[in-house]
Amino acid sequence: QVPLKPGRSLMDWIRLTKSGKDLTGLKGRLIEVTEDELAKHNKKEDCWICIRGFVYNVTPYMEYHPGGEDELMKAAGTDGTDLFDQVHRWVNYESMLKECLVGRMAVKPIAVPKGLPFVLLHQFLFLLSRCEIVHFLLSFMELLNYIFFLLLYFLFYSYDWFQTDSLITVVIYTKQKDMNAELVIVDCQDKRLRGEIIMDDYSYLVEVDLDHTVSEEVAVNIAEKIGKVEIILKKKDNIHWKMLGQPWECHNTFIKRTNRELFYRKCKLVSKTEVTHDTKLFCLMLPKGTHLRVPTGQHVYLKQTITGTEAVKPYTPVLPFLPLDFQETSHHDGVHIYLMIKIYSCGLFTQALDHLQIGDYISVSNPEGNFKKSQVQASEDLILLAGGTGFTPMVKLLNFALTEVSCLRTVKLIFFNKTEDDILWRNQLEQLALKDERFEVQFVLSQPTKDWVGKQGKISSSLLSEFVKRSRKDSKVLICICGPTPFTEQGVQYLKDLGYSQEEIHAFTA
């Protein structure tokens, strides 16, 4: 983020969009935009950007963008979808930029049959049509990737359904080995059934409007070794169903997860407890019809409406506490999601969160993120660098590492904060260090009092060279880092300067 000029906050932008001022320069008209026309609008004083086929005049938004004008200019006059997804896929740009909408891109659609899995086939043909000599190798690899997952879909993914007098059972056959609860997401609300199976960067989706009503509670059975998933619904009326229901547009599809829209369900706030002077632990309860487990190292998005505009922010779920018994357990009750959130005095989103009352609802997305547990399981030394609330992904990671990864020799947390009062779960971390000799925690303060006897300073090459070390010369190490963007970017660069490879570093970003 960059400092914004006075009068250029999110609230100021919302006021401007509601002022009735023409922000597109087209006096309310929507036009079809060609690639040539889009390319002409590539200056700060005249900047159009395409996102997912829609073109926006972001010129008036330049001074309000938290990432600065230069970030927007990277996509000026072009299709900025990929760049947008890399940086902040979670932002609700449709709501934020709705008054800046110029129109749709003029495209010539490829005539392919509608339905499954023709989303992938469309992508395949699109890449094939763009296979220019300069980009041939990259395009060819993408083509092979799509072909591979097309074959996976045809060979492995299918579904069926059965019924008794009282039950409906939807069975998804994945033939995916080591299927587990974290890879299955089910939501059944208001007759809409949505079941998603995760496979690395792809997912398979079953989504229908059910033929009849069912009870709120849903049961999910998983045959881990053969990859079979059963979704069991209880009929409200013991009648014979002629069909499962009407399919949604993306029903029975197998595509990249980033190509799916984020799915949200409303969760109830059941408790809110103080962690530090400005940080609270929120406990949210999932709906009865939802089966959801947020994997270690992944985050969710919270969505709420602020003064008529939808706002979205990413947060990494934590545990309700740091377990000290070291029993191999997931500590998931399957009902609650815990979020440790810092409340900013000038933060619209966190202030709105803080004003939620017990019993209020907030929308929570499906999990996202690219961290894989196998990265830890292949390591002998795990080093965690956390800045402030960048501690949140380290909570589940610590628990997983110390309870389920026997090959780890050392687990070290270097926790950066401004003051002692800012340290999250300090007592729990110190107790954990006493309980397990593999674990060590080091607190570093940038604004300590004169009584502080620990380490002082900010993240630096010299400080990291002191604490970030292998247990032996050739040991396999994984270094995870999370915090404010400058902290993370500087930390990654310092680690590379110290000789650690990109494969040995994982930066948590949303």
Side-chain angles (χ1 to χ4, degrees), residues 327-382:
Q327 295 176 358
E328 289 195 16
T329 172
S330 65
H331 296 279
H332 291 304
D333 60 8
V335 176
H336 298 101
I337 291 178
Y338 294 87
L339 300 168
M340 195 179 288
I341 299 175
K342 183 174 181 177
I343 310 299
Y344 293 91
S345 58
C346 297
L348 280 178
F349 196 91
T350 58
Q351 284 293 322
L353 279 180
D354 197 32
H355 284 100
L356 288 176
Q357 301 298 308
I358 303 303
D360 286 347
Y361 287 83
I362 187 165
S363 297
V364 179
S365 80
N366 281 356
E368 294 233 327
N370 58 6
F371 182 81
K372 294 179 174 57
K373 288 181 178 179
S374 57
Q375 296 172 256
V376 182
Q377 293 165 327
S379 304
E380 296 166 285
D381 299 324
L382 176 63

Side-chain angles (χ1 to χ4, degrees), residues 4-157:
L4 298 175
K5 297 177 182 177
R8 294 296 184 270
S9 67
L10 173 60
M11 184 61 77
D12 294 312
W13 172 251
I14 292 172
R15 290 194 192 99
L16 178 60
T17 61
K18 296 182 183 301
S19 67
K21 185 176 180 180
D22 178 17
L23 300 182
T24 65
L26 299 175
K27 298 180 180 179
R29 291 181 300 116
L30 293 178
I31 64 173
E32 194 172 58
V33 183
T34 64
E35 287 188 8
D36 289 342
E37 180 64 26
L38 176 63
K40 294 176 184 176
H41 303 270
N42 62 353
K43 304 176 182 64
K44 284 187 179 181
E45 61 275 11
D46 180 20
C47 182
W48 290 8
I49 292 176
C50 173
I51 304 177
R52 304 197 203 293
F54 290 92
V55 179
Y56 299 89
N57 180 356
V58 298
T59 313
Y61 183 58
M62 282 284 178
E63 293 186 348
Y64 297 85
H65 185 235
E69 296 178 356
D70 291 342
E71 284 299 309
L72 283 178
M73 286 305 297
K74 289 179 181 178
T78 67
D79 188 330
T81 305
D82 288 343
L83 182 63
F84 174 83
D85 284 344
Q86 290 170 19
V87 179
H88 37 230
R89 175 167 125 80
W90 48 272
V91 171
N92 190 337
Y93 65 91
E94 296 103 322
S95 176
M96 194 79 69
L97 299 176
K98 62 184 177 183
E99 299 302 325
C100 300
L101 180 63
V102 171
R104 274 185 174 274
M105 283 296 294
V107 294
K108 294 180 180 179
I110 299 173
V112 295
K114 191 175 182 179
L116 263 172
F118 293 107
V119 175
L120 275 179
L121 182 58
H122 182 279
Q123 292 171 316
F124 175 89
L125 294 173
F126 176 67
L127 284 168
L128 190 62
S129 70
R130 295 178 60 204
C131 230
E132 301 168 6
I133 297 299
V134 178
H135 304 292
F136 175 78
L137 184 58
L138 176 61
S139 299
F140 183 67
M141 294 303 293
E142 288 186 75
L143 289 173
L144 289 179
N145 192 42
Y146 284 124
I147 292 170
F148 171 71
F149 279 98
L150 266 173
L151 289 173
L152 276 180
Y153 169 78
F154 281 120
L155 293 174
F156 298 129
Y157 280 81

Side-chain angles (χ1 to χ4, degrees), residues 163-168 213 233-237 239 241:
Q163 64 179 310
T164 64
D165 287 344
S166 59
L167 300 176
I168 295 291
T213 56
L233 312 171
K234 187 175 182 179
K235 296 178 179 178
K236 274 205 170 177
D237 301 307
I239 59 176
W241 290 24

Side-chain angles (χ1 to χ4, degrees), residues 409-421:
R409 288 192 178 91
T410 62
V411 179
K412 180 183 289 188
L413 170 65
I414 306 166
F415 197 177
F416 295 82
N417 286 280
K418 289 182 179 179
T419 70
E420 279 188 85
D421 292 339

Side-chain angles (χ1 to χ4, degrees), residues 9 71 193 205 210 248 283 353 372:
S9 67
E71 284 299 309
L193 173 66
L205 183 66
L210 295 169
W248 282 61
C283 178
L353 279 180
K372 294 179 174 57

